[in-house]
Amino acid sequence: MEAAGSLIVNNKMRTGVGTVGAGSPQPGKGREYNRNQRKDSEGCSESPDLEFVYADADKWAAELSELYSYTEGPEFQLNRKCFEEDLRLHVPDKKWTELDVSQQRAHTMRLLDALEVTAREKRLKVARAILYVAQGTFGECTSESEVQTWQRHNIFLLLEAGAFNALVELLNMEVENSAACSNAVRKPAISLADSTDLRVLLNIMYLMVDMLREEGENDSEEWKTMRQTFCADLGSPVYNSEPFAVLLFGMVTKFCSGHAPHFPMKKVLLLLWKTVLCTLGGFEDLLKMKAEKREILGLPPLPEDSIKVIRNMRAASPPASASDLIEQQQRRGRREHKALIKQDNLDAFNERDPYKTDDTRDEEEENDEENSLEGEPFSIEREEVMPPSVTQPATDRLALPKGLPWAPKVREKDIEIFLESSRSKFIGYTLGSDTDTVVGLPRPIHESIRTLKLHKYTSVAEIQIRLEEEFIRCPLSGGEEEVEQVPAEILYQGLLPSLPQYMIALLKILLAAAPTSKAKTDSINILADVLPEEMPTTVLQSMKLGVDVNRHKEIIVKAISAVLLLLLKHFKLNHVYQMEYMAQHLVFANCIPLILKFFNQNIMSYITAKNSISVLDYPYCVVHELPELTAESLEAGDNNRFCWRNLFSCINLLRILNKLTKWKHSRTMMLVVFKSAPILKRALKVKQAMMQLYVLKLLKVQTKYLGRQWRKSNMKTMSAIYQKVRHRLNDDWAYGNDLDARPWDFQAEECALRANIERFNSRRYDRTHRNPEFLPVDNCLQSVLGQHVELPEDFQMNYDLWLEREVFSKPISWEELLQ
C-alpha cells in the first residue's frame, strides 16, 4: 500500500507530459488526433453513457435496411411491377391482401413452378415477383408494422411451398455459371448489373432466414414447428451433403480468389452471419448451452450471468482534449493558494486519463478539496467507501454498486504453482500436481490454499483437454468416442477441409473494408454490388454514392466481425481444439495486427459516423412519400448520437482479439510488439461500458510487459482495470513477476498447441490415416467366411498348387483346433 501511495503522490506531483515510451504516439499522429478530436470532446466529460444495448443483431427495420444499398432503390418498384403483372394474369381484379390463404398458397406454388423455366429473362422476372412477396407486398401496406406482419405471413407461405430448397438449387447454378464468371473477370469495371440474378436470390434467402431465426409472439403451433424444422435443416448437411453455411463460405473464397469478382459480397456475408445465428444460436443461447454442458460434465454452475453483469456496468468518463486541459491549468494558475494541488494526469497522449467519474458538484467545490495532498486519487473508489458530503443531498449523487462486479476465479494450474513455490520455499521439496498435501506448510499458507480452492473455477475447455489427453494416451482402452452431431459439430466438419482458406478470405475482405485501408491495385474490389452502371454526374448523386459506399463497407465489417466471433465462441463450447484451430489460422493470417490497424483511427468519429440516409432506408422508403433530397440534408444525417452497427463491430473485434490472446503469452507479446497500448487507450474515449471492459482486458494482459514507467504514468487506467475486469487471485498482472513469461518459450508454446490440434483433428476426423493395429478385429467365424474376397489373377491360376502346399501336405490336428 505504501508503494502504491508513493506512486500516486509522485504521479500527482508531475507537472510535465508523460515520459515517451511504449505508450507514445508516432510523430505527428498525436497532434492530428487531438485536432480531429477537439470538436468531438467539447463538453463530452459530462455527457451520459451511450444508450447502446449489445444484442445478436439490431432492430428488425435496421437489419432489413442494411440488406439493400441505396443504389438498388429503383428495383423495389420493379419487383412490384413483375409481381402485379403476374397476379393480374391469374387473379384479375384482386390484390394480394384480398386473397384468402388457399388462393395465396396456390399462387405461391405457381410462382415456384415458373422458376424452373430455362429462359433467364423469364426466370428473373419470376424471382423478382417472389422477392416482392418476401418483402411483404409493401405496395398494399400503409405502415412499416403492416409490412412486417405481411412479410412474416408471406415467408411462411414460401417456406411451406418449399421455396428455400428451390432457391438453393438456383444459387448453386448461378455460382457454377462459368460464363458469368469469365465475363466478369474480363470486364474492366464491374457494376450492380453484373450481379442482378445473384442479388435477387440472396435477397429472398436473407429475408427468409432473418425472419425465421426468431420465434414470433403470435406464431401458431404449425408455424413454430415449421420454423424449428427449417433451422434444423439449415444446419444439417442436406444441401449438397453439407450445411448451407459451407456453400456461402465457398462463395467467399471464390470471390477472393478473383474467379468471381461479380459476387455481391455484402449480401453473401450478411446471409452467412444470419445463417450462423439461426443454426448455432446467439449469445444468450450460448450462455444456456454452456450452463447445460457444465451440468452434464458435473461442474458447478457459472458464478454469474455475464450478459447481465456487463449490461449493468457503467462507463467511465472519456478523457478531455489537450485544449481543455490547458484551459484548466491556466485557471488553476490564477488561484492564490500556494499549497500542493492535484495535477491532472497527463498521459502519453496529452489527454486526461479516462477514469474520472461524473460528479454533480460544481467546479469550485471540487477545487476546494484539491488543497489536500490526499485529495481524491481515484474518485470512483472514494465514492464507494465515503458517505456523501453534507452540502449535497444523497439523492443527487450517483449510486454506484458496492464491491467488484465479477466473482474472482482461480485455475487448478494457479493453485499448483502456488503450492510448488510454497513447498520449495518452506520445505525444500515438490510434489508435482498434488494440491491436497499441506504437511509442513505454515498456517497462513493453509488459509491461502483454502481461499484459492474456494474460488477455483474449472472450465469446460479444461475437461475437454483432459479427456483428449486420455484418448491419445489410451487409444484401445479409451474406446470409440461418441461425438454428438450438434449443429456446431456438423458445421466444423464441413469447414475443416478448407478452414484456413475461409479465414484468409474473410480477413482479406475485412482489410479491404476497414476505414484505415488505402486503395491498392492488388486489393479486392468489394464495391461490385454498390456501384451503378452509370457513374454520378451531379454533386448530389456523388454525395449519395459516397454515403452508400461508406455504409456498404461498415456493413461488411459488421457481418465479418459477427461471423468470426460467433464461430469462435460456438466452436470453443463444442470442443476447445476446434476453436484453437480456427484461432491459430486467424493468427497466422495476421488477424491481430489487422484488428489493431482497424482501431488505429479516430475511433470516436467512426462510432458517431452518419453514413446513412434514413428516408431511403427500406421499408420507410416504400410506405412514405419521399422528400426531395438536398446536399444539406445528406450532410446533416440522422440525429443518433452513435452508429449501432459501428459500435457493434468495434465490440466484436475487441472480443475476437481477447479470444485470440487469452492465456497465450506469444500472442500477448504480439500486442506489445505492435504497440497496441496507445491504440487501445484511444478506444477508451468511447463512453460505453462493454467496449471499455474489453479494451481494459486487453490492456491488463500486457501491463506487466509495458514497463514500470508506463504503469506509473497510467495509474488511473490501472485502477479502472482493477475495478472493472475480473480478478485472478494470484495473478501479478500489475507487476513483472510472471513465471510463465519466458520469451524463449513463445515459439514452443505455439508449436505445442499446433501439435495438439493436429492430433485431435487426425484422431477424430481423419479416417484414412488410422493405425491398422488399433482397428477392431472381427473374430466371428461366420462373418469372416461370408466375406467376399477379391483374389489376384496369378493366385487363381495356381490355386491347385497352393492347396497342395498349404493345406493337403500339412497335418492338421482337428481335435485341438475344435477345442
Side-chain angles (χ1 to χ4, degrees):
M1 287 299 292
E2 287 176 11
S6 64
L7 205 57
I8 294 161
V9 173
N10 289 337
N11 192 37
K12 290 167 73 171
M13 290 178 69
R14 289 187 305 120
T15 54
V17 178
T19 306
V20 174
S24 303
Q26 293 176 7
K29 287 280 177 78
R31 287 194 298 277
E32 181 186 346
Y33 175 69
N34 287 325
R35 189 165 57 248
N36 291 337
Q37 279 297 91
R38 194 164 298 159
K39 184 180 175 184
D40 295 328
S41 62
E42 284 175 7
C44 73
S45 59
E46 297 301 324
S47 62
D49 293 4
L50 297 179
E51 294 296 325
F52 172 82
V53 179
Y54 186 82
D56 294 331
D58 203 351
K59 295 183 179 69
W60 169 78
E63 291 294 334
L64 199 55
S65 69
E66 289 178 358
L67 176 63
Y68 311 102
S69 60
Y70 297 138
T71 322
E72 289 178 272
E75 294 187 17
F76 292 129
Q77 297 307 323
L78 182 58
N79 299 339
R80 179 182 177 180
K81 183 185 171 189
C82 291
F83 173 80
E84 289 178 349
E85 283 177 0
D86 188 80
L87 187 66
R88 274 197 297 272
L89 286 173
H90 299 97
V91 191
D93 305 324
K94 266 200 174 184
K95 293 181 177 179
W96 174 261
T97 51
E98 295 169 357
L99 301 177
D100 59 39
V101 176
S102 59
Q103 289 175 309
Q104 290 173 344
R105 195 176 284 125
H107 190 70
T108 304
M109 291 300 294
R110 269 197 299 271
L111 286 173
L112 288 175
D113 289 342
L115 264 185
E116 296 178 11
V117 296
T118 52
R120 178 176 290 274
E121 299 263 331
K122 288 181 181 176
R123 194 167 65 236
L124 180 60
K125 276 190 175 182
V126 174
R128 284 195 180 281
I130 294 172
L131 175 56
Y132 178 71
V133 172
Q135 285 171 335
T137 51
F138 53 79
E140 300 166 37
C141 301
T142 55
S143 67
E144 292 178 39
S145 59
E146 200 178 339
V147 171
Q148 187 177 8
T149 305
W150 275 105
Q151 187 182 358
R152 192 165 187 84
H153 170 80
N154 294 349
I155 279 172
F156 273 102
L157 280 178
L158 289 169
L159 182 63
E160 188 183 9
F164 199 82
N165 291 339
L167 293 166
V168 171
E169 287 177 20
L170 278 175
L171 183 65
N172 260 319
M173 193 174 75
E174 291 295 337
V175 169
E176 299 301 325
N177 186 347
S178 54
C181 291
S182 57
N183 287 341
V185 170
R186 284 198 298 269
K187 282 187 78 170
I190 298 166
S191 68
L192 208 62
D194 297 297
S195 58
T196 305
D197 293 356
L198 276 168
R199 280 188 297 106
V200 171
L201 294 175
L202 290 166
N203 282 343
I204 304 168
M205 296 166 98
Y206 176 88
L207 291 171
M208 291 184 73
V209 172
D210 191 42
M211 184 58 78
L212 295 167
R213 72 182 177 85
E214 288 183 330
E215 199 171 281
E217 291 178 10
N218 303 318
D219 285 1
S220 64
E221 286 301 317
E222 185 188 359
W223 278 15
K224 287 177 183 176
T225 308
M226 285 167 64
R227 194 192 76 80
Q228 288 167 359
T229 307
F230 171 76
C231 292
D233 287 348
L234 202 61
S236 304
V238 293
Y239 306 106
N240 292 342
S241 304
E242 60 188 17
F244 179 59
V246 177
L247 168 63
L248 298 175
F249 267 113
M251 290 181 73
V252 173
T253 48
K254 193 170 182 180
F255 171 79
C256 286
S257 66
H259 298 310
H262 65 299
F263 281 2
M265 208 28 57
K266 183 189 83 174
K267 294 184 192 297
V268 173
L269 291 167
L270 283 173
L271 179 55
L272 176 59
W273 168 36
K274 293 299 168 70
T275 302
V276 171
L277 257 183
C278 184
T279 54
L280 304 189
F283 298 114
E284 292 195 1
D285 298 318
L286 261 166
L287 208 62
K288 289 176 191 168
M289 287 189 277
K290 190 175 183 179
E292 287 169 11
K293 195 143 195 171
R294 289 184 68 81
E295 193 178 342
I296 292 166
L297 294 171
L299 297 172
L302 293 165
E304 68 273 299
D305 184 336
S306 57
I307 294 173
K308 284 182 182 174
V309 172
I310 292 171
R311 281 179 183 166
N312 291 333
M313 270 190 178
R314 179 171 154 263
S317 296
S321 66
S323 59
D324 295 339
L325 290 172
I326 292 165
E327 285 172 21
Q328 288 170 17
Q329 286 179 355
Q330 288 170 349
R331 273 202 306 273
R332 285 177 186 153
R334 289 195 291 269
R335 294 178 53 161
E336 292 180 358
H337 22 251
K338 304 293 183 184
L340 178 65
I341 64 170
K342 177 181 172 185
Q343 169 67 36
D344 278 315
N345 180 22
L346 287 171
D347 61 15
F349 305 100
N350 295 346
E351 301 167 354
R352 182 194 292 266
D353 204 274
Y355 298 102
K356 189 166 192 287
T357 53
D358 298 336
D359 202 327
T360 53
R361 293 175 300 176
D362 62 18
E363 190 177 347
E364 289 301 317
E365 187 182 345
E366 190 177 36
N367 287 339
D368 287 341
E369 289 193 8
E370 290 174 352
N371 294 332
S372 165
L373 185 68
E374 297 177 4
E376 298 197 278
F378 305 109
S379 57
I380 299 176
E381 288 178 358
R382 182 195 58 73
E383 286 183 1
E384 285 178 353
V385 298
M386 291 184 68
S389 60
V390 180
T391 56
Q392 184 184 8
T395 51
D396 293 340
R397 293 182 61 76
L398 294 166
L400 290 171
K402 299 289 179 186
L404 299 167
W406 304 100
K409 286 182 181 177
V410 181
R411 294 180 300 169
E412 182 78 26
K413 184 183 174 185
D414 298 330
I415 301 174
E416 288 173 15
I417 291 170
F418 177 76
L419 267 169
E420 286 294 281
S421 62
S422 301
R423 285 172 186 146
S424 58
K425 180 179 179 182
F426 291 104
I427 305 170
Y429 66 86
T430 58
L431 292 175
S433 59
D434 182 354
T435 57
D436 298 319
T437 307
V438 291
V439 177
L441 295 174
R443 180 66 56 191
I445 299 294
H446 291 206
E447 293 293 328
S448 301
I449 293 163
R450 195 176 299 118
T451 305
L452 288 173
K453 286 187 174 179
L454 187 67
H455 293 96
K456 190 175 96 168
Y457 175 80
T458 306
S459 66
V460 172
E462 287 175 68
I463 302 292
Q464 290 170 340
I465 290 170
R466 210 176 296 155
L467 290 171
E468 184 60 25
E469 287 170 354
E470 282 293 316
F471 277 117
I472 296 295
R473 190 165 62 250
C474 311
L476 293 175
S477 59
E480 191 73 23
E481 183 187 11
E482 290 184 16
V483 181
E484 191 182 354
Q485 293 298 303
V486 293
E489 180 65 34
I490 295 166
L491 181 58
Y492 182 77
Q493 290 176 13
L495 296 178
L496 183 61
S498 305
L499 193 134
Q501 288 87 335
Y502 297 147
M503 295 304 107
I504 290 167
L506 286 177
L507 293 183
K508 271 187 177 180
I509 299 170
L510 183 62
L511 176 63
T516 50
S517 297
K518 294 180 174 60
K520 293 180 182 174
T521 51
D522 58 339
S523 63
I524 50 180
N525 176 22
I526 55 170
L527 305 176
D529 53 333
V530 70
L531 296 176
E533 279 188 280
E534 295 178 4
M535 293 309 284
T537 52
T538 65
V539 174
L540 184 66
Q541 288 175 340
S542 299
M543 286 180 71
K544 181 183 163 188
L545 184 59
V547 169
D548 209 1
V549 166
N550 289 335
R551 174 177 176 266
H552 183 82
K553 288 181 175 181
E554 289 172 2
I555 295 166
I556 286 175
V557 172
K558 172 187 171 182
I560 292 176
S561 66
V563 166
L564 289 176
L565 180 61
L566 281 169
L567 289 180
L568 283 169
K569 289 189 78 68
H570 278 285
F571 286 162
K572 185 180 181 185
L573 185 60
N574 193 50
H575 199 291
V576 65
Y577 281 141
Q578 295 178 348
M579 185 277 285
E580 294 290 7
Y581 183 56
M582 178 180 166
Q584 199 161 56
H585 281 292
L586 285 172
V587 172
F588 292 160
N590 282 334
C591 184
I592 292 175
L594 172 55
I595 294 176
L596 292 175
K597 181 180 180 180
F598 179 90
F599 279 97
N600 193 20
Q601 59 169 311
N602 188 338
I603 207 70
M604 275 301 292
S605 295
Y606 184 71
I607 279 166
T608 56
K610 299 185 186 301
N611 290 315
S612 59
I613 308 166
S614 52
V615 293
L616 296 181
D617 284 341
Y618 181 87
Y620 182 92
C621 65
V622 292
V623 292
H624 294 89
E625 285 292 323
L626 293 186
E628 188 181 350
L629 285 177
T630 61
E632 289 74 23
S633 64
L634 286 183
E635 208 167 302
D638 53 29
N639 297 321
N640 295 332
R641 288 186 59 227
F642 63 91
C643 175
W644 196 95
R645 65 172 166 266
N646 289 355
L647 192 44
F648 178 73
S649 303
C650 288
I651 292 173
N652 286 345
L653 290 171
L654 288 168
R655 293 182 76 180
I656 291 165
L657 207 49
N658 269 289
K659 275 264 174 281
L660 297 182
T661 54
K662 191 174 182 181
W663 304 119
K664 305 287 188 302
H665 294 293
S666 54
R667 298 175 192 175
T668 303
M669 287 308 295
M670 286 177 77
L671 292 178
V672 179
V673 168
F674 291 125
K675 292 185 170 59
S676 65
I679 296 168
L680 292 169
K681 278 199 67 186
R682 280 207 290 274
L684 289 171
K685 276 189 170 288
V686 180
K687 203 174 177 193
Q688 205 284 322
M690 190 173 186
M691 183 164 169
Q692 287 182 348
L693 172 68
Y694 287 107
V695 171
L696 292 170
K697 278 187 173 187
L698 288 165
L699 285 170
K700 179 185 174 181
V701 294
Q702 55 178 315
T703 299
K704 62 169 76 81
Y705 307 116
L706 295 175
R708 186 180 173 194
Q709 187 58 50
W710 188 91
R711 296 197 289 270
K712 187 176 175 182
S713 305
N714 294 277
M715 282 304 292
K716 289 186 180 177
T717 307
M718 303 282 282
S719 172
I721 292 171
Y722 177 85
Q723 287 162 344
K724 291 182 182 292
V725 182
R726 189 192 298 278
H727 285 269
R728 300 277 171 172
L729 288 184
N730 49 356
D731 177 18
D732 287 340
W733 64 270
Y735 313 100
N737 304 329
D738 188 15
L739 295 174
D740 289 342
R742 293 185 289 268
W744 55 86
D745 283 350
F746 293 157
Q747 194 69 30
E749 178 191 55
E750 208 70 50
C751 291
L753 177 63
R754 189 172 189 176
N756 289 337
I757 294 165
E758 285 175 355
R759 268 199 301 271
F760 165 77
N761 283 333
S762 176
R763 181 190 67 78
R764 210 188 226 198
Y765 305 111
D766 191 358
R767 305 288 174 187
T768 55
H769 293 91
R770 289 195 164 187
N771 191 330
E773 293 182 10
F774 292 159
L775 292 174
V777 177
D778 189 354
N779 294 315
C780 177
L781 189 64
Q782 287 182 329
S783 65
V784 170
L785 292 176
Q787 287 178 2
H788 179 70
V789 181
E790 286 288 335
L791 299 172
E793 194 174 338
D794 58 339
F795 179 82
Q796 293 179 33
M797 295 283 290
N798 300 298
Y799 181 60
D800 294 340
L801 288 172
W802 181 85
L803 274 176
E804 185 63 40
R805 190 176 68 245
E806 298 293 333
V807 182
F808 300 144
S809 62
K810 290 193 175 181
I812 298 171
S813 176
W814 294 104
E815 290 79 8
E816 288 181 20
L817 187 66
L818 290 171
Q819 286 174 5

